[in-house]
């Protein structure tokens, strides 16, 4: 055990169930809430096809059952079909998380033949103008709609994901109507969570309380309408953490069930951890099992011995695990702090201040910093 990044194995730690394979940070779009790290442009290396296959094999051998292919835009990898076929062979349930750009009818058929189970396409807005402003591409919206229709007609169960923020949330009625028209089986109305580029743009993205309440009412009205029509389209509305008083159990707990492998093989407990001042091991330098069970990074926030007050003595600490480590760090600069979303946190005033700011004037859509390599920050 000479490597200080590795620690003795704790045999009470369970296996990962979920592997998110971030195949690439490359993407044709420039969303100002991109979940890729701020310094994504500093990480250009990508695992080879064989290295991804070996990583998937190891994850499956450890017990992982669900595999998401994401990015960046995973369709920019021309080995995606080969990776899906291998994942299927290994027995994973597979999900493609895509903008829809890079997809065409031939690729939809090829992915189907390779055994892909499920496709999730993201939409930026209900109308082309806002979508173009958010994605930084005038043509992307029409392409996404065409691909959503093609995915549906190819027989896939289709989830549409719409990231909500203060510049599109008031248009929720039209967004849900569009998803209905496209034949979605489920719609994730996921309010933007404030990590990476979204955190950089928080003042221009966070909706006001009144906007959230109106959107919840619209969602409830649509649920009733859909049920009355016998239309089975599930609507999942995710409230932004900043409008809650208890934190989420992020990722089900640090190193509990979920792991992300970044394009260059860095293994992370969540997709935002790369922005933390920590060192995470890589495959193939270490095996996935060694990283999961023995790395100092994965063991650092397991259990509750690391928790400060008030989490340390709190009766909810085994439900939310003290909240999100990335959010705690981004807001307080302290990796171990109680997530300020919690109203028991001594830092909860930071959340209240952000809410108050969101209830006032905010930056216009045009003032947001789009994800781009030039401004990608290397810390
Ligand atoms: Fe969760 Fe900590 Fe808040 Fe308790 S004090 S509810 S453990 S974040
Ligand atoms: Fe990283 Fe919550 S997003 S721990």
């Amino acid at each position: 055990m000479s490597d200080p990044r590795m620690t003795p194995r704790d045999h009470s730690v369970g296996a990962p169930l979920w592997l998110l394979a971030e195949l690439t940070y490359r993407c044709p779009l420039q969303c100002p809430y991109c979940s890729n790290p701020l310094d994504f442009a500093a990480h250009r290396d990508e695992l080879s096809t064989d290295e991804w296959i070996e990583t998937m094999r190891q994850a499956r051998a450890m017990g992982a059952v669900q595999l998401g292919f994401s990015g960046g835009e995973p369709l920019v990898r021309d080995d995606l079909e080969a990776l899906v076929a291998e994942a299927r062979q290994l027995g994973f349930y597979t999900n493609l998380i895509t903008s829809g750009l890079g997809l065409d009818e031939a690729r939809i058929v090829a992915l189907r033949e390779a055994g892909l189970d499920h496709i999730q396409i993201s939409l930026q807005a209900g109308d082309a103008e806002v979508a173009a402003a958010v994605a930084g591409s005038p043509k992307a919206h029409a392409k996404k709609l065409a691909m959503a229709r093609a995915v549906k007609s190819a027989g896939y169960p289709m989830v549409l994901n719409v990231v909500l923020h203060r510049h599109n949330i008031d248009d929720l009625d039209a967004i849900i109507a569009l998803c209905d028209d496209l034949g979605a089986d489920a719609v994730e109305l996921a309010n933007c969570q404030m990590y990476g580029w979204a955190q950089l743009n928080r003042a221009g993205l966070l909706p006001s309380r009144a906007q959230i309440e109106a959107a919840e009412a619209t969602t409830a009205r649509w649920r009733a309408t859909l049920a009355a029509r016998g239309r089975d389209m599930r609507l999942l509305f995710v409230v932004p953490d900043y409008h809650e008083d208890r934190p989420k159990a992020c990722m089900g707990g640090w190193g509990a069930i979920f792991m992300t492998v970044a394009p260059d093989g860095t293994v992370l407990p969540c997709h935002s951890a790369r922005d933390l001042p920590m060192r995470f091991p890589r495959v193939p330098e270490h095996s996935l099992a060694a990283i999961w069970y023995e790395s100092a990074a994965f063991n650092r926030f397991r259990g509750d011995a690391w928790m400060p007050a008030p989490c340390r003595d709190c009766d909810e600490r085994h439900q939310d695990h003290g909240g999100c480590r990335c959010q705690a760090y981004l807001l307080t600069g302290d990796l171990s702090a109680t997530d300020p979303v919690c109203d028991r946190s001594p830092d909860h005033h930071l959340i209240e201040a952000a809410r108050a700011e969101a209830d006032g004037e905010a930056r216009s859509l045009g003032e947001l910093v789009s994800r781009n390599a030039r401004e990608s920050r290397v810390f």
Side-chain angles (χ1 to χ4, degrees):
M1 197 67 59
S2 57
D3 187 336
R5 287 172 294 170
M6 306 309 269
T7 54
R9 178 168 176 169
D10 173 351
H11 289 276
S12 68
V13 173
L17 302 178
W18 232 99
L19 171 65
L20 185 69
E22 289 186 329
L23 299 181
T24 180
Y25 286 146
R26 289 174 287 154
C27 180
L29 301 184
Q30 301 176 356
C31 302
Y33 46 73
C34 179
S35 64
N36 286 167
L38 286 167
D39 67 345
F40 74 90
H43 306 285
R44 295 187 189 278
D45 293 346
E46 293 181 7
L47 294 183
S48 67
T49 308
D50 286 346
E51 286 170 332
W52 274 117
I53 288 174
E54 177 56 23
T55 302
M56 294 191 300
R57 274 199 193 118
Q58 290 184 25
R60 187 77 187 99
M62 290 167 72
V65 289
Q66 183 138 353
L67 173 54
F69 292 104
S70 81
E73 175 46 68
L75 286 159
V76 307
R77 292 272 307 214
D78 57 14
D79 58 356
L80 180 62
E81 290 81 348
L83 296 176
V84 168
E86 185 65 29
R88 175 56 168 249
Q89 184 83 8
L90 289 165
F92 278 110
Y93 180 83
T94 53
N95 182 21
L96 175 64
I97 301 157
T98 175
S99 68
L101 273 73
L103 207 54
D104 55 29
E105 273 80 2
R107 260 192 121 176
I108 291 172
V109 171
L111 287 165
R112 184 113 191 122
E113 286 172 359
L116 182 65
D117 291 300
H118 186 275
I119 297 185
Q120 176 186 306
I121 294 183
S122 61
L123 299 179
Q124 271 78 9
D127 74 88
E129 199 178 325
V130 177
V134 172
S137 161
K139 294 190 184 149
H141 188 62
K143 170 83 177 167
K144 283 165 176 274
L145 301 193
M147 284 306 104
R149 290 202 165 90
V151 162
K152 188 64 195 168
S153 36
Y156 281 103
M158 185 173 67
V159 174
L160 293 175
N161 174 279
V162 188
V163 176
L164 296 178
H165 47 79
R166 63 186 295 133
H167 298 290
N168 66 1
I169 194 167
D170 295 336
D171 201 25
L172 189 56
D173 197 44
I175 289 172
I176 300 176
L178 175 64
C179 295
D180 181 25
D181 181 56
L182 290 169
D185 297 287
V187 184
E188 287 179 5
L189 302 164
N191 271 283
C192 192
Q193 300 291 5
M194 301 303 166
Y195 304 102
W197 293 84
Q199 173 69 3
L200 193 66
N201 285 307
R202 190 185 75 195
L205 290 172
L206 187 64
S208 68
R209 186 69 228 165
Q211 286 183 298
I212 295 287
E213 284 169 1
E216 285 178 321
T218 300
T219 306
R221 183 166 42 74
W222 264 99
R223 284 191 184 120
T225 305
L226 293 166
R229 275 175 37 207
R231 166 85 162 91
D232 186 15
M233 180 173 88
R234 277 166 294 121
L235 297 179
L236 178 70
F237 186 85
V238 183
V239 176
D241 289 5
Y242 278 61
H243 285 289
E244 301 276 22
D245 289 323
R246 282 289 183 279
K248 59 185 180 287
C250 197
M251 303 294 142
W254 179 276
I257 54 172
F258 184 92
M259 68 180 153
T260 298
V261 179
D264 63 356
T266 301
V267 185
L268 305 163
C270 66
H271 49 270
S272 300
R274 198 157 206 164
D275 282 333
L276 301 178
M278 294 178 69
R279 286 184 66 195
F280 292 95
R282 294 179 60 236
V283 287
E285 195 180 317
H286 298 277
S287 73
L288 218 44
I291 293 170
W292 180 261
Y293 291 110
E294 296 169 22
S295 71
F298 271 79
N299 282 326
R300 180 153 174 194
F301 298 113
R302 284 179 170 141
D304 56 14
W306 60 271
M307 288 182 181
C311 297
R312 183 192 305 139
D313 307 309
C314 179
D315 55 3
E316 295 182 35
R317 69 187 184 283
H318 295 138
Q319 289 159 39
D320 62 32
H321 314 285
C324 171
R325 290 306 87 219
C326 296
Q327 194 145 264
Y329 174 73
L330 287 171
L331 284 164
T332 71
D334 178 358
L335 279 165
S336 301
T338 296
D339 186 336
V341 167
C342 182
D343 66 6
R344 297 174 183 175
S345 157
D347 299 307
H348 188 61
H349 61 93
L350 297 171
I351 295 290
E352 291 174 329
R355 280 183 206 160
E357 187 181 37
D359 286 339
E361 286 296 307
R363 281 182 231 155
S364 68
L365 192 48
E367 289 174 285
L368 301 182
V369 180
S370 298
R371 164 201 150 112
N372 67 86
R374 201 168 15 91
E375 292 189 54
S376 171
R377 288 146 193 233
V378 181
F379 295 107

